Each structure stands twice: as C-alpha cells, then as structure tokens.
Amino acid sequence: MKSSEEKDMLKQTLLVTALVSATLASSAAFSGHDEKPHASSWSNFALENQIKAMPRGEATNGQKIHEQMMCNACHGEKGESPSRNYASLNGQTAEYTTKMMLDYRDGRRWENYKQANIMVKLAKAMDDQQIADVAAFYASNPATTWDIETKPVAADIDRLVRKGDVSRMIVPCASCHGAHGEGKGITPAIAGQVPEYFVRTMKAYQGKHRHNDVNEGMAQFTHDLTDDEIQALAYYYATLNKQGDNHDRN
C-alpha cells in the first residue's frame, strides 16, 4: 500500500504531466513525432568529439531550465523520479544526459510512445547550452537511495556484475558502469535507478527497440539475459546506494 504522501506525490505528478501534455499538444501534434531527422549512428570517435564540442554546463542555470520546461513534472525536484514510471536523472553523468538529449533531438532515439514523444519535443526545443546546463544540474545532485527492503545478492547476479559470463560473452556490468554503478563519462550511472525503468531499458535493447547504444554494446550484452536476471539486476542497482559497502565483496 502506498502512503498518503506517496499518493499525493503521484497525483501531483499526474496533474503536471497532463499540463505538460496539453501545452505540447497546443503547439504540435501530440500523437507522434514530426519528420525524423537523419542522424548518423554514433561512433566512439564522433561521440567523443561531440561531447567535447558542447559548451560548459552551469548547474544553476540548469535548475532554472528544469523548472521552466517542467522537467520536474516527470523527473522530480532534483531529478529524482517521484514515481516508478520515469527515469531518475539525479546523479547521472553530465556526458550521458547530454548524449540522451542529443539522441532525442537528432533522431537516434525515436520510440513512438507518449513519454518519448514528450522527450523528443522538449529536446528539439533546447539548444546546446540548455542541454549542457540541465545535464550539469542533474549531475550535481546525489543519486537516489530507494527505500526498498535489502536482500542478500545472489551469487549468479554478483558474478554477472563483477565477472560477467564468458559462456554467453557477457562482460561484467562493473567494467563499464563502475564498481558502484556510478558510471563514467558517456557510460551512464545506474545505481539508484528506478527498477521498472531499468527493466524497460534492458528489454528495449534486448528487443532492438532502442538503437542509440554505441556499437550496439548494450544490445549485445542483454541479448542472452533472462527475464529473472534482468529483474534481479534492476533490484541490485536500485538498492546499491542503500547497501553501500555490503556489496563490496571479492
């Protein structure tokens, strides 16, 4: 059962989301995207150069943009998702948030569902400086510590995180996302992420509904993961900040 505070927060989120939808719908057809831009797939070299070419972000300005463009309707006051429907952005690397916004804006992320429609339209309304500023704002805030009951980490999940699975050619999650899920550069932080969003993202890569991963890295590594493994990894990273050093085993 949700607490009264959680229910009030959810109602507020739904109300503001409806207002965002109405605002966007008044300026453009909300049933789908406009004509898709023809953006080339990222290479490591091209993405690195694009990130370096972006202006320096200012977190203070990013907070203002976050509020003015009503990003807080879905992503919370400081990027922490107020519901299980949206990604948490707080604690995310600035480089990764920048990449996501460029992908939405330029057509690399073009999923045709309501939430993606909102993100595409918002990203297309932002210039490089605004994108850099909101990315800096989210990076300046600590990642979410979910109030979820902690459980011992199963040996097979611990192995996937730290050692991977050679038989399935799955590299360790920690080798890219960090020992604490903190991410680095364009590799996203995943500690404290909304577990439901984590699962949706993994399934989107697995089902080839998302194509914006460089060299199809995530698509390759998720291909042979089972649904149970994906669920367990989502729980592991959602509770990683809460358990802290309890996860640091050799």
Side-chain angles (χ1 to χ4, degrees):
M1 296 290 290
K2 290 184 173 67
S3 67
S4 58
E5 182 178 354
E6 289 175 319
K7 290 179 179 178
D8 290 342
M9 184 176 291
L10 179 57
K11 289 179 181 178
Q12 182 179 10
T13 300
L14 293 173
L15 175 60
V16 180
T17 302
L19 291 174
V20 172
S21 300
T23 300
L24 291 172
S26 66
S27 60
F30 190 68
S31 59
H33 302 321
D34 299 325
E35 183 178 353
K36 181 179 179 180
H38 297 287
S40 300
S41 298
W42 290 121
S43 66
N44 289 317
F45 181 75
L47 179 56
E48 181 180 354
N49 283 344
Q50 178 62 58
I51 295 298
K52 288 180 179 178
M54 293 291 288
R56 180 177 179 178
E58 295 292 340
T60 301
N61 292 336
Q63 182 173 6
K64 294 177 182 177
I65 296 167
H66 168 78
E67 294 169 353
Q68 291 169 355
M69 300 195 75
M70 300 181 73
C71 305
N72 52 2
C74 299
H75 297 291
E77 181 181 357
K78 296 183 178 180
E80 74 291 1
S81 177
S83 79
R84 298 296 186 89
N85 293 317
Y86 308 102
S88 282
L89 306 178
N90 51 318
Q92 187 55 267
T93 68
E95 294 87 346
Y96 183 74
T97 299
T98 297
K99 177 186 182 297
M100 283 299 101
M101 294 301 290
L102 293 175
D103 286 350
Y104 277 123
R105 190 180 74 180
D106 299 341
R108 295 179 186 89
R109 284 202 65 175
W110 208 253
E111 299 101 324
N112 193 25
Y113 59 92
K114 187 174 182 179
Q115 294 169 5
N117 289 345
I118 294 174
M119 287 306 305
V120 166
K121 294 181 187 300
L122 288 174
K124 289 173 72 174
M126 296 171 68
D127 60 27
D128 286 355
Q129 185 64 63
Q130 290 173 311
I131 288 175
D133 288 346
V134 294
F137 169 63
Y138 297 133
S140 72
N141 293 303
T144 301
T145 299
W146 287 92
D147 187 17
I148 301 175
E149 180 185 359
T150 57
K151 301 176 183 178
V153 181
D156 58 335
I157 298 305
D158 187 72
R159 185 169 56 252
L160 277 175
V161 169
R162 300 175 185 280
K163 298 181 179 180
D165 186 339
V166 176
S167 68
R168 292 183 286 175
M169 299 183 69
I170 298 175
V171 302
C173 305
S175 66
C176 296
H177 296 281
H180 303 283
E182 71 277 15
K184 182 179 180 180
I186 60 171
T187 302
I190 51 179
Q193 187 52 265
V194 178
E196 287 82 356
Y197 179 79
F198 184 103
V199 171
R200 289 200 304 272
T201 299
M202 296 288 277
K203 296 299 289 183
Y205 280 127
Q206 192 177 60
K208 299 187 182 300
H209 303 302
R210 272 184 64 169
H211 309 280
N212 65 320
D213 49 333
V214 180
N215 299 324
E216 297 187 351
M218 284 305 300
Q220 294 178 50
F221 302 141
T222 59
H223 185 266
D224 291 325
L225 289 175
T226 67
D227 289 349
D228 287 344
E229 287 172 333
I230 290 174
Q231 290 283 351
L233 286 169
Y235 178 88
Y236 172 88
Y237 281 109
T239 60
L240 189 57
N241 291 331
K242 185 176 182 180
Q243 297 202 27
D245 292 339
N246 290 338
H247 285 243
D248 291 332
R249 301 198 300 273
N250 294 322

